[in-house]
Amino acid sequence: MAEADGNEFVATDAEANAASSRAGETVPGGMAGNLPGNMAVGARLRAAREAAGLSVADLSTRTRITTRHIESLEAGDYAALSGRPYALGFARSYARAVGLDDKTILADLRAELDRQEPAAPRAKFTSSRWAIRPRLRRAC
């Protein structure tokens, strides 16, 4: 069982390995924070949550992220998260709550999002707003 360390849960080596083996990977050195980078971000977050002994509801209470967003993040369904900034913010909060390095998680999530949906080219606008929609003046 996970040990309570203040307000944070610290997973034992056995729990970290058990959770990661359910996700299909072994945890090097038994540390949940060192999950392999070739695993999807959602799977790493889920493995760390399970290793910490937290349910989705517990994590939702701790991070104030709704359960449906946590489930979407774990499933890799980033389109259900209202946009890229929300996905990154939720992943940062989630990673901090389960004891993972948030910078690594965010870098991997950005790469995953870029692979799924490359950045759209920026629209070019003319320098004058009148060229887009001229204002009509009425005679008095």
Side-chain angles (χ1 to χ4, degrees):
M1 188 50 91
E3 303 167 20
D5 181 22
N7 288 335
E8 297 182 16
F9 287 90
V10 179
T12 62
D13 289 348
E15 289 173 312
N17 283 327
S20 62
S21 65
R22 285 191 297 271
E25 298 288 336
T26 59
V27 179
M31 298 302 291
N34 296 329
L35 289 168
N38 60 357
M39 227 171 125
V41 172
R44 283 191 284 169
L45 291 171
R46 176 178 293 195
R49 176 182 57 80
E50 291 174 350
L54 296 171
S55 69
V56 172
D58 294 337
L59 187 65
S60 176
T61 302
R62 184 178 283 193
T63 60
R64 297 185 182 194
I65 302 171
T66 63
T67 56
R68 69 184 174 95
H69 286 141
I70 290 173
E71 291 166 353
S72 296
L73 190 60
E74 289 180 348
D77 182 17
Y78 306 118
L81 297 176
S82 305
R84 185 181 179 107
Y86 287 96
L88 294 170
F90 291 157
R92 174 184 286 125
S93 296
Y94 191 130
R96 287 178 180 169
V98 296
L100 294 177
D101 180 29
D102 59 331
K103 292 178 182 173
T104 304
I105 291 294
L106 289 179
D108 293 344
L109 180 57
R110 282 186 182 102
E112 199 171 312
L113 288 169
D114 288 342
R115 282 192 303 272
Q116 287 182 359
E117 182 179 319
R122 300 187 124 211
K124 294 183 180 180
F125 294 102
T126 60
S127 61
S128 171
R129 68 180 183 156
W130 302 109
I132 296 171
R133 184 174 177 193
R135 176 182 275 181
L136 299 176
R137 295 187 182 202
R138 295 184 186 172
C140 295

